[in-house]
Amino acid sequence: MVSYVARRLLDAVLGVLGVTTIAFLAIRLSGDPVALLVTEYATPEDIARVRRVLGLDQPLWVQYGRFLGDVLRGDFGESLRFIKPAAPLVYGALPATLTLAVAALFIALALALPLGLLAGMRRGSVLDGAAIVLATLGQSVPYFWLGILLIMAFAVRLQWLPAFGSESWRHLILPALTLAMTPMARIARIVRAGMVEVLTQDYIRTARAKGLPGGAIVLRHALPNLAIPLVTILALDFGTLLGGAVVTETIFAWPGVGRLVVQAIQSRDYPVVQAAVFYLATSVVLLNLALDVLYARLDPRIRYA
C-alpha cells in the first residue's frame, strides 16, 4: 500500500509538472504581454526595458527554468493587472470556487440519486423513459444557454433570485443549478445503469425469495454495490467542476478562480494564469489520489501490488 501511494504521488508530481509546462508554453505562444503594459507612445527603448524587467528578453528555456524554481518556492510572480503577488489572488478566489462546486455537486447528487434508483428499479416504465430523456438533455444543454435562461426566468421575470454577485446564499442558487445540470445527468445515468445490472444478480433474487421488502433490498444489497462507480463519478465531476466553472462564474459574476482566469487571460496576466492552473491541477490530482486509496476501503477485494 505504501509503495502504491508513493508511485501515485510520483505520478501526481509528473502530472502537475506536465500541466504547468503546457500552461507555461501556451501563455508564451498567445502573444506578448508587454504590448498591453505600455502606452501607444512608448518607444522601443521603453518596451525593451519593460521586457527586460519581466525577464521576457531571455530565451524560453531560461524563462522556464526560472519559472520552475519560483514554483518550488511557491512564488508565481506579481500580477501584471493587479500589481500584487499572483498566488494570494488565487488563494482569495479559491473558497468561492470550492463553495460553488460543492453546492453544485450536492444539488446534482440530491436530484440524480433518487432519479437513477427509481429509473433502474422500474426499467422500461414511463419514469425510466423520462429519466433517460432528462439525463440526455442535461448532458446536452450548454452552460451559457442554461445560465442565461435561469437568469431570464428567476431573476428578470419572477424576480425571486438575484442574477449576479455573491453577497448571500441566494446568490449561490442560480449558478449552482446551472453547474449541477451536467453532473446530475451523468450521475443519474450511472446509477440507473448500475441498478439495472445489480437487480439481475443472483443475490438479489435470493433476497427477494427470502421475502425482504424492495426498499431493504435496495439499501442493503443494491446500493452498496454502486458505491465504487458512484464515488468515481463524484470525484471526477468535482474535479471537472473546479476547473470547468469558468463559463458559469463569468455569467453570474461569481468571484471564483474561473472568472479570475478569464480576466487574466484577457489581459495576458500570465502570472495569475500560471498560479491558477497549478493550484487547480494540484487539487484535481490529489483528489484522484485520494479516490484510489478510498477504493480499497469501499471494496476489500481490491488489493494494491
Side-chain angles (χ1 to χ4, degrees):
M1 182 70 177
V2 175
S3 62
Y4 174 79
V5 173
R7 288 200 307 273
R8 292 290 289 115
L9 279 173
L10 179 60
D11 293 340
V13 171
L14 294 177
V16 172
L17 179 63
V19 171
T20 51
T21 300
I22 292 172
F24 173 85
L25 294 175
I27 291 170
R28 276 7 181 232
L29 294 174
S30 66
D32 187 3
V34 177
L36 297 178
L37 299 177
V38 298
T39 66
E40 57 182 324
Y41 305 107
T43 64
E45 291 76 16
D46 295 333
I47 296 175
R49 185 168 57 254
V50 174
R51 185 171 285 111
R52 185 168 58 252
V53 169
L54 296 176
L56 299 176
D57 60 332
Q58 299 295 319
L60 193 60
W61 63 271
V62 175
Q63 295 182 43
Y64 182 64
R66 288 180 177 175
F67 167 70
L68 289 182
D70 292 339
V71 168
L72 291 176
R73 294 192 298 272
D75 179 14
F76 290 89
E78 192 171 80
S79 166
L80 304 181
R81 178 167 177 247
F82 297 99
I83 319 299
K84 294 179 179 177
L89 286 174
V90 177
Y91 292 152
L94 203 53
T97 295
L98 286 173
T99 301
L100 180 59
V102 170
L105 200 61
F106 177 79
I107 292 173
L109 187 61
L111 295 176
L113 191 57
L115 183 64
L117 287 175
L118 290 174
M121 293 169 63
R122 300 179 181 177
R123 183 184 182 187
S125 66
V126 175
L127 177 63
D128 185 26
I132 293 175
V133 171
L134 184 62
T136 304
L137 287 176
Q139 286 188 293
S140 307
V141 173
Y143 285 131
F144 70 89
W145 185 84
L146 180 61
I148 293 173
L149 189 68
L150 291 177
I151 289 174
M152 293 297 293
F154 294 100
V156 177
R157 188 174 183 85
L158 299 175
Q159 298 185 352
W160 289 351
L161 296 168
F164 310 106
S166 60
E167 288 76 18
S168 68
W169 62 270
R170 298 175 70 245
H171 291 81
L172 180 62
I173 295 176
L174 291 184
L177 277 174
T178 303
L179 203 58
M181 186 55 67
T182 298
M184 185 277 292
R186 194 156 37 227
I187 293 169
R189 293 174 68 95
I190 293 292
V191 172
R192 177 196 174 276
M195 279 297 294
V196 169
E197 181 182 355
V198 166
L199 291 179
T200 60
Q201 300 298 313
D202 291 339
Y203 59 88
I204 296 294
R205 282 194 288 269
T206 303
R208 284 175 175 157
K210 290 180 178 177
L212 285 178
I217 293 174
V218 171
L219 292 177
R220 294 180 190 175
H221 301 285
L223 201 53
N225 286 282
L226 297 176
I228 287 184
L230 191 57
V231 169
T232 301
I233 197 67
L234 286 176
L236 293 176
D237 277 338
F238 190 66
T240 303
L241 292 176
L242 284 179
V246 174
V247 175
T248 305
E249 290 182 359
T250 303
I251 291 174
F252 292 95
W254 186 260
V257 176
R259 182 165 170 253
L260 180 66
V261 168
V262 170
Q263 294 172 343
I265 291 174
Q266 289 173 342
S267 58
R268 293 179 186 168
D269 192 354
Y270 66 89
V272 172
V273 177
Q274 289 172 166
V277 169
F278 176 81
Y279 287 115
L280 289 176
T282 303
S283 301
V284 173
V285 167
L286 291 179
L287 193 62
N288 285 324
L289 177 62
L291 178 65
D292 288 342
V293 176
L294 185 61
Y295 281 155
R297 297 291 181 185
L298 294 175
D299 190 348
R301 294 171 298 179
I302 296 177
R303 291 290 181 268
Y304 298 107

